Amino acid sequence: MSNKQEDRTVILDNGEIAKATFPVVVSASRSTDIPAFYADWFFERLKKGYSAWTNPFNGKKCYVAYEDTRFIVFWSKNPRPLFKYIDYLRKKSIGCYIQYTLNDYENEGLERGVPPIKERIETFKLLVDKLGKGAVVWRFDPLILTDKIDMDKLLQKIENIGEQLQGYTEKLVFSFADILSYRKVKSNLERSHINYIDWTTEQMIEFAEKLISLNRAKRWNYNLATCGETIDLDGIEHNHCVDDKLMVRFGYKSKELMKFLGAELIDSLQQTDLFAEIEPLEIPSDVIVLDNNQYAVINKNNKDRGQRTACGCMKSKDIGEYNTCPHLCEYCYANASKEMAVQNWERHQLNKDNDTITGR
């Protein structure tokens, strides 16, 4: 078999042979909540060696093989089902971290399908205990303004969660709900009689200033970052949600992953002199601090040029499908309609052994 990516194949469940992609980094998933609803399916497919998905642009069925996979980025609002699989990933030498969207829209009913906020915070802490601090990233995403939620109320919600997560997270990632750019989101909100308010540039700047002040006043010292936002906000980073630096930090033991990322280990940053005291150098911003008293650097630009210009993610293979998330959040951009998402979820329930999420 040729080692060229375009020539590699996988044996399907029915015995047929098909061309497949063999990603080193998998995203699971921007398109749906795999940890919350499809964890059993995904890990069964991981064991079988491949899964399938339908290309949303041309409707073609495509195959993803997991032979080369060394890291998985999970995205979820309820990743509790991952607990029973973390040891399996370690056994397979596959690293992971979780982009955990932990919002609080309980009183407003914008996320009726997620567990209570208290339970989700508990899940966050338990996952940190299991994976390590930094491997669970807090997202308050999106920040949505309505006739019932103003800027100060959003900050109060963030403060409530932020206080409880102190010591468990290093970062807060957020984005501003961009309703007008997504026609189906606008339509879904209006159908549910939710009176949204689109963010202005001035409001974004004001919110960022207040969030920075809150972070400082509470002494959280969280790294604050926006996801997919074009606006530059003083004191706020542009996030890299599929982050090669974070992968090195939690996957540096994999030679295959390090080679793919163009990363290398550095034994020391100290400058020594036979006639002088040893003085540690200031750690450069591009150096990654590891948990074994070593450091690493990445000598390669891994940015995914196929994403939006404002997206800082590195290249990965997303294996989810749109219109399959039964959280049914009112502002969801991944579901064209709640009805379609429920239908696909029900179809999956009837055909869990299928190589696709939708059971088709």
Side-chain angles (χ1 to χ4, degrees):
M1 183 183 296
S2 170
N3 286 326
K4 291 183 178 180
Q5 180 66 61
E6 60 269 22
D7 295 333
R8 298 180 69 182
T9 59
V10 66
I11 300 175
L12 306 183
D13 291 346
N14 60 9
E16 294 181 2
I17 297 176
K19 288 184 178 181
T21 57
F22 285 70
V24 175
V25 177
V26 166
S27 172
S29 154
R30 294 184 182 93
S31 306
T32 191
D33 197 327
I34 286 178
F37 298 108
Y38 303 101
D40 292 342
W41 169 85
F42 173 69
F43 280 93
E44 185 60 30
R45 297 314 312 176
L46 196 62
K47 292 175 184 177
K48 290 186 176 181
Y50 85 97
S51 64
W53 66 290
T54 303
N55 188 309
F57 300 104
N58 59 22
K60 182 180 178 181
K61 191 173 184 179
C62 304
Y63 299 95
V64 180
Y66 299 113
E67 180 181 336
D68 297 348
T69 299
R70 294 296 178 270
F71 209 95
I72 302 171
V73 179
F74 292 106
W75 309 67
S76 185
K77 290 184 177 178
N78 179 26
R80 187 172 282 251
L82 290 180
F83 276 114
K84 62 182 178 181
Y85 294 112
I86 291 173
D87 289 338
Y88 174 78
L89 289 177
R90 288 173 175 159
K91 181 180 178 182
K92 299 292 289 184
S93 298
I94 298 175
C96 76
Y97 66 79
I98 303 170
Q99 292 283 347
Y100 192 160
T101 300
L102 183 54
N103 303 333
D104 179 9
Y105 294 123
E106 279 189 339
N107 294 336
E108 296 79 15
L110 297 181
E111 299 177 335
R112 298 183 189 277
V114 301
I117 185 69
K118 182 179 179 181
E119 181 180 325
R120 284 179 283 141
I121 291 173
E122 178 189 31
T123 295
F124 194 106
K125 293 179 177 180
L126 291 173
L127 284 167
V128 171
D129 291 340
K130 189 80 171 175
L131 293 172
K133 187 177 178 181
V136 188
V137 181
W138 177 28
R139 304 174 69 90
F140 201 113
D141 178 26
L143 296 163
I144 185 168
L145 296 174
T146 72
D147 57 346
K148 297 179 181 179
I149 309 174
D150 60 14
M151 198 181 301
D152 288 337
K153 182 166 284 189
L154 281 174
L155 288 164
Q156 289 170 11
K157 292 174 181 294
I158 289 174
E159 181 178 359
N160 176 48
I161 298 174
E163 283 286 273
Q164 297 181 70
L165 292 186
Q166 193 164 13
Y168 287 90
T169 189
E170 300 171 344
K171 178 181 279 190
L172 166 57
V173 180
F174 62 95
S175 71
F176 302 101
D178 186 6
I179 309 301
L180 298 181
S181 296
Y182 294 91
R183 186 172 58 183
K184 61 185 177 183
V185 177
K186 179 176 180 292
S187 176
N188 289 338
L189 288 173
E190 291 174 349
R191 189 179 298 118
S192 297
H193 306 291
I194 295 171
N195 300 316
Y196 64 89
I197 300 169
D198 224 47
W199 288 85
T200 65
T201 300
E202 293 73 21
Q203 286 174 317
M204 293 179 189
I205 294 171
E206 181 184 354
F207 181 87
E209 291 172 348
K210 289 184 175 181
L211 182 58
I212 290 170
S213 296
L214 178 63
N215 190 34
R216 186 182 301 118
K218 292 294 181 177
R219 298 183 180 179
W220 292 337
N221 297 317
Y222 296 154
N223 293 324
L224 305 177
T226 56
C227 172
E229 297 290 349
T230 57
I231 187 171
D232 293 322
L233 299 167
D234 290 339
I236 308 288
E237 303 171 6
H238 289 281
N239 201 48
H240 308 268
C241 300
V242 182
D243 188 344
D244 51 0
K245 287 187 176 181
L246 207 51
M247 289 177 201
V248 169
R249 184 174 161 191
F250 292 103
Y252 67 88
K253 294 180 182 178
S254 169
K255 293 181 180 179
E256 296 86 355
L257 178 67
M258 294 289 278
K259 181 179 179 180
F260 175 76
L261 297 176
E264 63 176 335
L265 297 176
I266 301 174
D267 288 331
S268 176
L269 292 179
Q270 289 185 328
Q271 212 172 28
T272 61
D273 191 297
L274 291 175
F275 303 102
E277 294 184 0
I278 297 175
E279 295 183 2
L281 299 174
E282 182 178 349
I283 299 175
S285 60
D286 60 344
V287 170
I288 305 157
V289 182
L290 306 179
D291 63 3
N292 62 346
N293 296 318
Q294 282 188 301
Y295 305 89
V297 292
I298 297 175
N299 302 309
K300 176 183 172 185
N301 183 356
N302 292 308
K303 181 176 170 58
D304 186 354
R305 302 190 184 282
Q307 295 293 336
R308 295 170 296 167
T309 304
C311 179
C313 289
M314 66 158 283
K315 190 174 183 180
S316 64
K317 180 58 184 176
D318 198 293
I319 52 96
E321 292 201 42
Y322 291 112
N323 301 309
T324 58
C325 183
H327 276 318
L328 306 181
C329 300
E330 298 293 346
Y331 53 79
C332 181
Y333 72 90
N335 290 337
S337 71
K338 295 178 182 179
E339 293 76 18
M340 188 180 299
V342 170
Q343 288 172 6
N344 282 327
W345 166 244
E346 291 175 344
R347 187 181 294 109
H348 166 81
Q349 293 289 85
L350 296 173
N351 198 3
K352 294 181 180 180
D353 294 332
N354 198 279
D355 56 8
T356 66
I357 284 177
T358 59
R360 291 177 174 173

